[in-house]
Amino acid sequence: MDAARRLAAPVALAALALLYLYTLGRPSLWFDEAWEANYYVGFVDAPWYNRPLLYMGAEKVLVRALGPSEFALRLLPCLAGLAAIGVAFLLVRQEAGRAA
């Protein structure tokens, strides 16, 4: 029983990650995503003036590696969100204990 309780959160996070990755390219691009996609494909100049430099560079690398798709554009924010969930869980468990 104790092993099942310890594995519940990592298994739930893994299931959430699989669901996120499965549905990542399903909804159509929003206006800001479509605007940024034009840059990654090379249609417009760099919109660096209002975007984080490392984020835009990482997105451009992903688009070059995976192709200009909705999946490639949404992968980095998805992975960052999943990492934030995992880190928040670990921090709360560390501060509040296992019972919380």
Side-chain angles (χ1 to χ4, degrees):
M1 181 68 174
D2 190 42
R5 292 179 76 191
R6 280 197 327 256
L7 290 176
V11 168
L13 181 59
L16 177 66
L18 290 174
L19 178 65
Y20 274 6
L21 292 173
Y22 177 72
T23 62
L24 200 55
R26 307 274 182 204
S28 63
L29 290 174
W30 294 358
F31 179 71
D32 59 337
E33 290 175 312
W35 179 72
E36 286 182 1
N38 284 330
Y39 162 68
Y40 301 128
V41 175
F43 295 143
V44 296
D45 292 334
W48 299 110
Y49 58 88
N50 65 352
R51 298 286 193 263
L53 183 63
L54 291 176
Y55 169 76
M56 294 296 283
E59 283 289 339
K60 191 159 190 171
V61 167
L62 281 174
V63 168
R64 284 188 180 167
L66 302 175
S69 65
E70 294 180 27
F71 179 80
L73 291 174
R74 292 180 171 156
L75 183 60
L76 184 61
C78 176
L79 294 176
L82 290 170
I85 292 170
V87 169
F89 172 77
L90 292 175
L91 290 174
V92 167
R93 192 169 97 180
Q94 182 181 21
E95 291 299 316
R98 287 185 179 268

